Amino acid sequence: MKGGPFLETRDLAVGYAKPRHPRRVVVKEVNVALKRGELTCLLGPNGAGKSTLIRTLCGMQPPLEGKVLLGGEPLEKLSPSDLARRMSLVLTERVAVGMMPVVTLVSLGRHPYTDWAGRLGPQDREAVRRAMADVGIEFLGHRPVCELSDGERQKVMIARALAQEPQVMVLDEATAFLDLPRRVELMHLLRNLAHEGRRAILLSTHDLDLALRCADRLWLLSPGGPLVHGVPEDLVLSDAFAQTFADAGVSFDKGSGAFTLAARQRGTVALSGNGVLGMWTYRALERAGYRVVQEGGHVGTCVESFEADGKVCWRIRGQQTIHYSLESLLSRLHASSHTPPS
Amino acid sequence: MGSWENPRPCTGDPHPIPRVSPLLWAALWAVLAGVFLLELCLGSVTIPFKSVLAILMGNSEVPEGWRQIVLLFRLPRAVTAMLAGAALGMAGLMMQTLFRNPLADPFVLGISSGASLGVAIVVMAAWGLGWTALIQKAGISAGASLILAATAGAMGILGIVMALARRVESNVTLLIIGLMFGYITGSLVTILFQFTQEQQMQTYITWTFGSFGGVTWRHMTLFAPTLLVGLLVAWSLSKSLNAFLLGEGYARSMGVNVGAVRLWIIVGASLLAGTVTAYCGPIGFLGIAIPHLCRMLMKTSDHHVLAPAVILVGAIVALAADLLAQVPGARVVLPLNAVTALIGAPVVVGIILRRRHTMEVGA
């Protein structure tokens, strides 16, 4: 089993089956795998069934069809403690454990390994120490969990999941309530933990941009649609990414790798300029509702960005005025786009 | 962030699991011994400390009256108080952890409501129907019939709750069902009131005051072993209870058999709370306060520490409350329930105000 994926699904269908109710299939024909050393992100709009899929992969609800194999063995054949030794979880919910020191909470991860009294042996202590070091929270050791910030708290929960020494770590929207710097930090941490090579990590998230940049593989789940998976860039180029999130008002721009609000179209503008200045000018024009094209072959308005005397400035080709801020440039553009082109 | 404060010497394991100082444990044992002896000395008659020791040692050079008071009344009363305090504290701890709610107490699932209903039926309806003579003929004393009635009522509710717990997924639902049982039994008792005479009402009301004095040595042969078994079950659940602190999702992911453990918690807590209620009446407040006191004293929510702490502190607090209820030196005896709440509630408010995080409100 060493070489095989840590987690694998075979023709998995997930959803809800209640007696006297029609069966509701959320996703079917899921054939995916989590491989050692990889960070996988599960993306999809709200209501696509991310949580249902995660719950099924974790054994919290039975599959409707097909199988989940953990280390080659069907999930339902594993005892609760065997399952806990192979897979650990970090959930969205904020834990309220009160006056518990961080180190005690992390050692809860040793639960499947300790005897009935929960005594920690040298091996357990070492696993706890390593988990805290890997996440970078050694210095929090004796602080009570209730005094931690949300970001620190979630790191503690990740350390706890690591102390469980799983092959597969599953995080269900574990970064949801954190601020952006904390989310970036956590995502990098998860990537490093995966690349270290002892485990596979699955994270369901709404952070499309971060997932595109950090994940080794993406699973894209669209409502009712199939689960598409692959390397992030492949999914972008094949338009699978855009299709998953094809929704009114939002569209994925392959050029910038970002989602754009479909603002009202004000017309097409050509842009001359590159580098950082060019990029931000592009973003400003796009946000203001212009379709931006490369210069050359375009006959309409053309914006030039350049630096002069150490200052950034903009000019509309054919006009004398030099703008020293994008604000000024945009208001000039808006003014001229209201007048019909002569 | 100020996270670098609190440096520790780096010898061996950099993060040993914090331990509670042995001095604190020793102090708790000393206080327990103190209140225990006080309970034997004080009461309507004050017996000198030396004589109490002599009586306990089996020395017979003490007035026979004192010997009887200590051995037949005060000693079983003290043992009852200690066991009941420990049991209620432990049941409260388990309920607070299971429901992740600092307001939970041993009776949230309706155990005491069931017991109350049982007692109300026996006291009012049965006696009204002229069963008193029958009960007396069967050789059951009035006290024993109350115990039987309370036990039957508590077991009845326990049975219903267990059956529901198997089917109901959510703990909050279970909590609400428990509350509703409370209302139902409360209204049934009120209806029973309508058909009874004042004297029987008084018997019921006295029962609801709570008392540690009703347990004789004969009762103790069942009372003590039942509670000891319950306490052992509860203590042995410490590891799983710790996992439950994180919520059921996490507990399951750590290999806890959530369904089975939940049933054990309910059975254990109900056995403890039900037995105490049957023998001593519905004693409020101790069950909710003692776990909070212990979290505050031990500065942890680790059940491996809390379980023994709750047993010790529970015994101490129950003894102290009983001492106060007897108003040493006076002939008056206050209702135990009045004392536990009157003195204890402000204490808990104080603790919670000072340390808002003794137990966060679960989501």
Side-chain angles (χ1 to χ4, degrees):
Chain A
M1 276 306 111
K2 283 272 177 203
F6 280 160
L7 182 142
E8 222 180 329
T9 65
R10 301 252 169 90
D11 293 322
L12 182 69
V14 308
Y16 300 91
K18 278 187 202 159
R20 295 190 304 273
H21 281 275
R23 206 166 71 145
R24 198 161 73 79
V25 181
V26 177
V27 206
K28 56 182 180 183
E29 288 161 26
V30 179
N31 288 292
V32 286
L34 292 174
K35 294 202 188 82
R36 171 199 284 265
E38 281 190 354
L39 170 64
T40 305
C41 282
L42 171 59
L43 298 172
N46 280 333
K50 293 197 295 292
S51 295
T52 316
L53 178 60
I54 293 252
R55 287 173 57 84
T56 311
L57 291 181
C58 299
M60 284 154 105
Q61 81 181 59
L64 293 181
E65 279 167 32
K67 271 187 216 167
V68 180
L69 301 176
L70 196 56
E73 286 177 63
L75 207 58
E76 70 274 8
K77 293 246 170 74
L78 295 171
S79 73
S81 86
D82 266 347
L83 177 60
R85 287 173 197 217
R86 295 182 194 203
M87 182 190 278
S88 66
L89 288 184
V90 180
L91 305 170
T92 325
E93 61 189 82
R94 204 165 172 279
V95 295
V97 294
M99 303 274 288
M100 186 180 268
V102 166
V103 61
T104 310
L105 199 157
V106 175
S107 5
L108 286 183
R110 300 305 294 169
H111 198 286
Y113 299 91
T114 53
D115 59 7
W116 67 272
R119 271 185 293 264
L120 298 175
Q123 263 191 328
D124 300 309
R125 287 176 199 284
E126 173 57 18
V128 169
R129 191 200 59 74
R130 205 169 46 221
M132 289 176 63
D134 283 352
V135 178
I137 53 164
E138 304 103 311
F139 62 91
L140 290 178
H142 290 274
R143 290 265 301 276
V145 176
C146 56
E147 288 177 10
L148 302 183
S149 69
D150 283 343
E152 289 170 328
R153 224 179 248 247
Q154 211 55 326
K155 277 193 186 171
V156 171
M157 294 316 288
I158 291 174
R160 188 210 59 81
L162 277 178
Q164 224 169 308
E165 295 188 323
Q167 296 174 329
V168 180
M169 240 174 92
V170 179
L171 300 93
D172 188 11
E173 298 192 13
T175 59
F177 52 81
L178 303 179
D179 60 19
L180 184 62
R182 229 49 56 201
R183 292 208 296 267
V184 174
E185 187 190 349
L186 224 51
M187 193 69 109
H188 280 271
L189 170 67
L190 290 175
R191 188 171 64 164
N192 292 339
L193 289 175
H195 288 187
E196 204 178 84
R198 283 201 297 263
R199 53 190 84 88
I201 300 182
L202 173 66
L203 168 74
S204 82
T205 176
H206 285 289
D207 266 316
L208 310 172
D209 195 43
L210 266 175
L212 266 179
R213 284 167 206 269
C214 296
D216 297 299
R217 295 183 76 78
L218 293 183
W219 295 358
L220 299 177
L221 194 54
S222 37
L227 184 101
V228 185
H229 57 100
V231 173
E233 293 74 14
D234 279 341
L235 295 175
V236 169
L237 291 173
S238 69
D239 282 331
F241 204 79
Q243 274 161 25
T244 303
F245 295 95
D247 203 344
V250 185
S251 59
F252 182 73
D253 184 61
K254 251 196 268 185
S256 62
F259 282 84
T260 53
L261 287 167
R264 69 185 171 122
Q265 285 290 323
R266 290 180 186 273
T268 308
V269 173
L271 174 64
S272 138
N274 45 33
V276 177
L277 182 56
M279 194 267 281
W280 288 103
T281 310
Y282 177 93
R283 301 239 323 217
L285 291 169
E286 184 188 63
R287 181 173 53 80
Y290 295 97
R291 199 165 76 82
V292 187
V293 297
Q294 288 295 317
E295 66 164 333
H298 178 64
V299 279
T301 321
C302 180
V303 171
E304 296 172 343
S305 63
F306 54 95
E307 281 182 57
D309 302 334
K311 283 186 191 155
V312 291
C313 25
W314 293 268
R315 188 169 58 199
I316 297 170
R317 189 170 288 168
Q319 293 182 2
Q320 294 300 315
T321 330
I322 291 188
H323 302 275
Y324 291 98
S325 70
L326 283 166
E327 186 178 1
S328 143
L329 172 77
L330 289 178
S331 61
R332 180 77 193 86
L333 275 174
H334 291 351
S336 56
S337 66
H338 286 306
T339 52
S342 49
Chain B
M1 292 251 224
S3 310
W4 293 91
E5 63 209 37
N6 200 5
R8 305 240 161 194
C10 289
T11 46
D13 192 346
H15 294 296
I17 303 291
R19 301 201 81 87
V20 175
S21 148
L23 271 179
L24 184 52
W25 290 115
L28 285 178
W29 278 107
V31 173
L32 178 60
V35 278
F36 177 72
L37 288 174
L38 271 181
E39 170 93 355
L40 296 186
C41 293
L42 302 179
S44 52
V45 184
T46 305
I47 300 174
F49 181 62
K50 270 186 192 160
S51 310
V52 167
L53 277 189
I55 293 166
L56 290 181
M57 298 299 202
N59 197 331
S60 52
E61 292 163 26
V62 190
E64 183 58 22
W66 285 6
R67 258 176 60 89
Q68 293 227 337
I69 290 179
V70 169
L71 292 182
L72 290 186
F73 295 99
R74 292 193 185 168
L75 195 55
R77 188 183 183 110
V79 173
T80 305
M82 291 197 294
L83 284 171
L88 290 176
M90 194 67 119
L93 176 66
M94 288 197 283
M95 288 294 116
Q96 288 176 2
T97 300
L98 177 67
F99 293 114
R100 297 170 77 200
N101 190 327
L103 294 176
D105 74 0
F107 307 124
V108 280
L109 291 179
I111 297 301
S112 74
S113 322
S116 306
L117 184 60
V119 168
I121 289 174
V122 165
V123 167
M124 300 166 187
W127 288 11
L129 291 172
W131 287 5
T132 323
L134 192 73
I135 289 172
Q136 276 167 354
K137 250 183 218 159
I140 303 170
S141 71
S145 70
L146 285 193
I147 293 171
L148 280 177
T151 310
M155 295 301 268
I157 291 288
L158 174 62
I160 299 174
V161 168
M162 293 273 292
L164 286 171
R166 282 173 186 278
R167 298 184 49 198
V168 174
E169 278 268 317
S170 148
N171 279 337
V172 179
T173 315
L174 211 55
L175 201 60
I176 294 171
I177 290 172
L179 272 175
M180 291 306 125
F181 275 141
Y183 288 119
I184 294 172
T185 52
S187 69
L188 286 179
V189 169
T190 318
I191 291 171
L192 282 177
F193 265 132
Q194 300 297 317
F195 302 100
T196 49
Q197 289 157 10
E198 211 153 293
Q199 189 203 338
Q200 286 141 23
M201 223 135 96
Q202 192 57 45
T203 312
Y204 174 78
I205 290 171
T206 310
W207 179 78
T208 62
F209 285 166
S211 163
F212 295 135
V215 182
T216 62
W217 284 123
R218 211 162 64 89
H219 294 150
M220 194 66 84
T221 50
L222 186 60
F223 180 73
T226 315
L227 289 190
L228 288 177
V229 167
L231 287 174
L232 272 180
V233 167
W235 198 337
S236 71
L237 288 172
S238 291
K239 181 180 164 177
S240 305
L241 283 167
N242 274 345
F244 266 82
L245 277 178
L246 299 182
E248 281 195 28
Y250 277 119
R252 186 176 284 119
S253 85
M254 286 188 271
V256 176
N257 188 341
V258 171
V261 169
R262 189 165 77 153
L263 277 187
W264 274 110
I265 291 176
I266 292 175
V267 169
S270 304
L271 191 67
L272 291 171
T275 309
V276 172
T277 309
Y279 284 82
C280 310
I283 295 171
F285 186 76
L286 292 183
I288 186 170
I290 289 164
H292 285 299
L293 259 171
C294 291
R295 284 191 199 96
M296 144 98 183
L297 267 177
M298 302 294 162
K299 296 192 172 44
T300 183
S301 37
D302 180 354
H303 289 79
H304 292 300
V305 178
L306 283 183
V310 156
I311 291 176
L312 268 179
V313 173
I316 292 171
V317 173
L319 277 174
D322 195 39
L323 268 175
L324 289 169
Q326 294 185 57
V327 199
R331 289 252 159 212
V332 202
V333 176
L334 300 178
L336 185 60
N337 261 326
V339 173
T340 52
L342 200 64
I343 293 163
V347 172
V348 168
V349 170
I351 291 170
I352 287 177
L353 284 184
R354 205 169 335 138
R355 290 222 64 113
R356 269 171 297 157
H357 291 297
T358 32
M359 184 174 185
E360 298 163 82
V361 180

